[in-house]
Amino acid sequence: MSFMVISVNECARAIELIGAECNVVSTQSEAERAFSEAILKRYPIIIIDEDVSEMISEFKAKMLKDLREPPIIVVIPSFRKPKGLRLSQLYSLISKAVGVKLKWQSQ
């Protein structure tokens, strides 16, 4: 199974060793272009780091909204310094699902 990695850090190139395609981006437009390319090439799995996820959050939602079979989007911690972005997103989703604001403290 093939997949694509989109990151702002060159360290992501190490994932190419297991057969993934990797795009290292530095701007929002480059990240959006790489994400569009991954969608058009119909990669079943797209791995993005937290930095890229922040850059393209709205664009990603628009792109995935109308897809019949969207790819699996995996958000991994940033190679620079993990921000806990995904944990915050999950916290918000779970709080909304249960109908109360859960008690949680980020480290």
Side-chain angles (χ1 to χ4, degrees):
M1 184 180 294
S2 62
F3 58 96
M4 178 180 271
V5 178
I6 306 170
S7 177
V8 296
N9 197 308
E10 286 289 334
C11 292
R13 293 233 180 258
I15 300 173
E16 288 179 321
L17 296 173
I18 60 170
E21 184 175 334
C22 182
N23 277 328
V24 177
V25 298
S26 57
T27 65
Q28 182 175 350
S29 62
E30 288 177 358
E32 289 175 356
R33 193 174 322 113
F35 190 78
S36 295
E37 178 185 324
I39 297 291
L40 291 174
K41 288 185 176 181
R42 302 176 78 73
Y43 280 100
I45 301 171
I46 302 171
I47 300 174
I48 58 177
D49 67 14
E50 290 177 322
D51 297 323
V52 172
S53 184
E54 276 184 320
M55 276 193 254
I56 66 168
S57 62
E58 292 175 18
F59 180 78
K60 179 177 61 172
K62 285 182 200 173
M63 289 286 293
L64 297 176
K65 183 175 71 172
D66 297 326
L67 291 179
R68 186 171 188 180
E69 292 182 22
I72 297 170
I73 307 296
V74 180
V75 179
I76 60 173
S78 173
F79 287 98
R80 295 177 185 170
K81 180 180 180 236
K83 299 176 184 177
L85 173 69
R86 191 64 185 144
L87 286 176
S88 297
Q89 291 171 342
L90 289 172
Y91 167 74
S92 296
L93 289 171
I94 293 170
S95 292
K96 186 185 284 186
V98 297
V100 294
K101 189 145 178 103
L102 301 173
K103 185 176 182 180
W104 177 66
Q105 198 172 331
S106 68
Q107 299 344 353

